[in-house]
C-alpha cells in the first residue's frame, strides 16, 4: 500500500493552496533578496552572494560555509486545520534576510484501528529552495534538521521528503541507466516500470 494515499496528498495540496501566505512571503523574500541584501547585510556579503549566482559549486560551498556561522533557522507559526493537519514554514536567515525556505506538513494522527495496523503519524517535508548563490544541499541541511526536530516534537512518527530531481529523466536517457536495473535484484522489474 502507498505511504500516503492520493486523497491525503490532494488534501495537503489543497490546504497549502488555501493557506500559502507564510510560504509565499518567504519565497518573495528570497526573490527580493537582492534588494534586501544591500539593506540588511554588509555590503561585502551582498556583493559576494550576488557574484556567487554564477560561481562554481566550490565557490558557492565556500561562501555557504562562511555564512553558516551566522545563519539561524526561523520557524513560522503553524497553520492548522482539522482535516488536513498542521503546516509549517522554515526560513534560513542571515542578518534578517531569508536565504532559504522549506515547507512541512504534519498530517492528523490515524484512528486507533489504523494505528493498530501499523499506520504512523506522518509528516512531509517539501518545497526547499535557496538563494541561487548558495548550494541547496548545504542551505537545506539546517532547514531539514529544524523541520525534523519540530515535527518530532509535535508527534510525527515518520517523516518523509519530496524533492524535484531536476535533470533525472535526461540523465537516465543519456546514461541508458535502464540497462543496469537488473542489478537491483527483486526490485528490478518494478524499478524498470518506474
Amino acid at each position: 500500500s502507498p505511504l500516503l494515499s492520493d486523497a491525503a496528498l490532494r488534501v495537503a495540496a489543497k490546504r497549502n493552496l488555501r493557506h500559502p501566505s507564510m510560504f509565499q512571503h518567504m519565497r518573495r523574500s528570497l526573490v527580493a533578496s537582492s534588494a534586501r541584501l544591500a539593506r540588511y547585510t554588509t555590503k561585502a556579503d551582498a556583493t559576494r552572494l550576488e557574484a556567487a549566482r554564477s560561481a562554481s559549486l566550490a565557490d558557492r560551498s565556500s561562501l555557504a560555509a562562511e555564512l553558516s556561522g551566522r545563519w539561524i533557522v526561523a520557524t513560522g507559526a503553524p497553520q492548522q486545520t482539522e482535516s488536513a493537519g498542521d503546516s509549517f514554514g522554515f526560513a534560513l536567515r542571515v542578518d534578517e534576510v531569508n536565504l532559504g525556505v522549506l515547507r512541512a506538513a504534519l498530517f492528523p494522527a490515524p484512528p486507533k484501528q489504523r494505528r493498530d495496523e501499523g499506520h504512523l503519524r506522518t509528516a512531509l517535508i517539501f518545497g526547499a529552495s535557496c538563494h541561487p548563490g548558495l548550494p541547496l544541499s548545504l542551505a537545506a541541511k539546517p532547514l531539514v534538521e529544524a523541520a525534523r526536530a519540530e515535527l518530532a516534537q509535535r508527534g510525527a512518527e515518520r517523516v518523509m521528503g519530496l524533492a524535484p530531481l531536476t535533470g533525472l529523466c535526461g540523465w537516465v536517457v543519456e546514461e541508458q541507466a535502464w540497462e543496469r536495473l537488473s542489478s537491483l535484484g527483486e526490485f528490478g522489474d518494478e524499478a524498470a516500470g518506474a
Side-chain angles (χ1 to χ4, degrees):
S1 72
L3 296 175
L4 282 177
S5 70
D6 289 341
L9 289 173
R10 278 194 301 277
V11 167
K14 283 182 184 176
R15 190 214 177 292
N16 286 317
L17 290 175
R18 285 194 305 261
H19 303 288
S21 58
M22 177 176 48
F23 190 60
Q24 283 182 340
H25 170 72
M26 288 190 291
R27 285 188 70 87
R28 274 196 305 270
S29 176
L30 275 178
V31 172
S33 283
S34 299
R36 291 174 53 87
L37 282 169
R39 192 175 339 146
Y40 291 109
T41 63
T42 66
K43 184 173 175 83
D45 283 346
T47 302
R48 291 177 66 214
L49 274 163
E50 289 308 306
R53 286 176 179 258
S54 59
S56 70
L57 177 59
D59 290 343
R60 292 182 4 245
S61 297
S62 175
L63 177 57
E66 289 178 36
L67 291 174
S68 69
R70 296 188 355 236
W71 62 33
I72 61 164
V73 176
T75 304
Q79 298 175 348
Q80 302 172 336
T81 65
E82 191 173 311
S83 63
D86 301 337
S87 133
F88 306 87
F90 300 87
L92 182 67
R93 297 180 142 197
V94 171
D95 301 330
E96 303 296 320
V97 177
N98 292 343
L99 296 180
V101 294
L102 179 77
R103 192 97 172 111
L106 179 61
F107 298 105
K112 182 175 178 355
Q113 175 188 1
R114 302 245 352 197
R115 290 188 66 75
D116 292 344
E117 296 170 359
H119 292 270
L120 304 173
R121 183 147 192 220
T122 301
L124 185 64
I125 297 174
F126 60 97
S129 63
C130 72
H131 187 281
L134 301 173
L136 182 59
S137 59
L138 297 177
K141 186 175 189 244
L143 291 166
V144 169
E145 289 171 347
R148 289 186 67 200
E150 180 73 21
L151 294 166
Q153 180 181 349
R154 292 179 177 269
E157 298 165 298
R158 173 177 55 190
V159 178
M160 301 182 321
L162 292 176
L165 299 174
T166 307
L168 176 65
C169 292
W171 174 84
V172 168
V173 170
E174 182 180 312
E175 295 289 320
Q176 297 180 349
W178 61 85
E179 293 176 356
R180 297 189 298 270
L181 291 178
S182 62
S183 67
L184 296 175
E186 67 181 274
F187 299 107
D189 291 339
E190 187 176 317

